[in-house]
Amino acid sequence: MDDSAVVRIDGVSKTFRDFWLRPVVKAVDSLSLEIRRGEVFGLLGPNGSGKSTTIRMLLGLSRPDSGKVELFGLSPESAEARARTGYLPEQSYLHPFLTAEETILYYAGLSGLDRRTAKRRTKELIEMIGLSSAARRRVGEFSKGMARRVSLAAALVGKPQLLIMDEPTSGLDPVSTKEVKTLVKALAAGGMTILTTSHLLADSEDICDRVAILDAGRKVAEGKIGELGESLEEFFLAKVGNVAEFSLAEFLK
């Protein structure tokens, strides 16, 4: 094991069961991963491959049936690990009647920041996401791309050392997608460790240092982008056994 690893997943399995505790689906199967400090790591795979379940275990929202999950050498459920972790969910659930500024201040309060620090951090983040002119507009009036940037600012307000992003460009237009990618690159350049999940191979090629490909809960490949062939698409087609069960066009859109 690498002592500089921020995220460690060691032989983790998770099975979902029905009301009578009968196994329904093995969402994660003997998964092992390490994410090192300062890198951007992509967790890739089609819907149902185990990405979201893995994220829930990293956030301490679900416990593995077997194996071990650690953030900074700590349990994901510990207060210290949670304080050092930021999370951007796939959907931006923001109160529509709060302004962008009020939204970030609200999350600053949840992060335990004092009022003075919260105001300073909110101003810095509003400028970073390029919404200074819209800081006092209600987020219910925002486009999806603008709301996504507010959600990202909220995830960063506590200055996390690890940022977990679940499908960060989901549903965004090309311009908003590029803006999110630019922010991710800037954060990584500043030394932040970033884990992102996606089924959009092009996005991962643009921002990730390393990736792991999941299929039916199992890791089928891991490595640097350049080590996985000419393109992740070709590699995915070569390695994933159930490609015929879903539409590649749907997978890549």
Side-chain angles (χ1 to χ4, degrees):
M1 289 286 187
D2 184 352
D3 289 338
S4 67
V6 171
V7 175
R8 287 177 176 169
I9 302 174
D10 187 13
V12 165
S13 294
K14 179 68 177 180
T15 299
F16 290 107
R17 302 176 182 274
D18 63 16
F19 179 79
W20 292 275
L21 300 182
R22 297 175 301 193
V24 175
V25 60
K26 195 161 193 175
V28 177
D29 188 0
S30 303
L31 177 63
S32 293
L33 286 175
E34 285 192 354
I35 303 174
R36 296 185 285 272
R37 185 173 288 107
E39 72 175 338
V40 182
F41 191 95
L43 200 57
L44 310 181
N47 293 334
S49 60
K51 302 189 303 294
S52 294
T53 300
T54 300
I55 292 298
R56 286 196 292 270
M57 289 189 288
L58 288 173
L59 293 172
L61 301 176
S62 181
R63 293 180 179 177
D65 298 329
S66 60
K68 190 174 184 179
V69 178
E70 289 184 342
L71 302 181
F72 312 101
L74 305 166
S75 165
E77 298 180 31
S78 70
E80 183 178 348
R82 289 180 172 177
R84 297 166 72 179
T85 304
Y87 174 52
L88 178 70
E90 181 177 359
Q91 300 296 326
S92 299
Y93 298 105
L94 303 175
H95 196 298
F97 297 107
L98 293 180
T99 66
E101 186 177 65
E102 289 168 342
T103 298
I104 299 171
L105 281 170
Y106 170 72
Y107 281 97
L110 293 179
S111 298
L113 300 183
D114 61 78
R115 188 168 183 79
R116 183 176 180 180
T117 302
K119 284 186 174 182
R120 176 175 53 81
R121 286 289 293 152
T122 296
K123 183 179 179 181
E124 293 171 347
L125 288 166
I126 287 286
E127 292 175 357
M128 187 194 78
I129 62 175
L131 290 178
S132 296
S133 62
R136 298 190 178 181
R137 280 178 54 191
R138 293 178 178 179
V139 296
E141 302 171 3
F142 283 3
S143 66
K144 187 167 184 178
M146 293 170 70
R148 198 72 174 141
R149 282 185 275 166
V150 173
S151 294
L152 178 56
L156 294 171
V157 74
K159 285 194 174 182
Q161 297 172 36
L162 167 67
L163 176 63
I164 298 175
M165 309 174 75
D166 195 0
E167 303 282 358
T169 61
S170 176
L172 299 185
D173 60 47
V175 173
S176 297
T177 295
K178 184 177 181 180
E179 290 172 344
V180 170
K181 288 180 183 178
T182 299
L183 285 171
V184 170
K185 290 177 181 178
L187 292 169
M192 187 175 293
T193 304
I194 300 173
L195 169 62
T196 176
T197 73
S198 184
H199 60 275
L200 301 173
L201 305 183
D203 285 358
S204 299
E205 287 179 311
D206 285 344
I207 63 174
C208 292
D209 300 309
R210 291 191 302 131
V211 298
I213 298 175
L214 302 185
D215 178 46
R218 297 187 67 88
K219 181 176 69 177
V220 296
E222 180 182 359
K224 295 181 179 179
I225 299 294
E227 296 173 349
L228 301 184
E230 294 183 1
S231 75
L232 287 176
E233 178 183 354
E234 292 177 2
F235 190 83
F236 193 87
L237 286 170
K239 290 292 184 180
V240 176
N242 66 350
V243 167
E245 297 179 12
F246 66 94
S247 164
L248 184 59
E250 178 70 18
F251 178 82
L252 294 174
K253 78 177 183 180

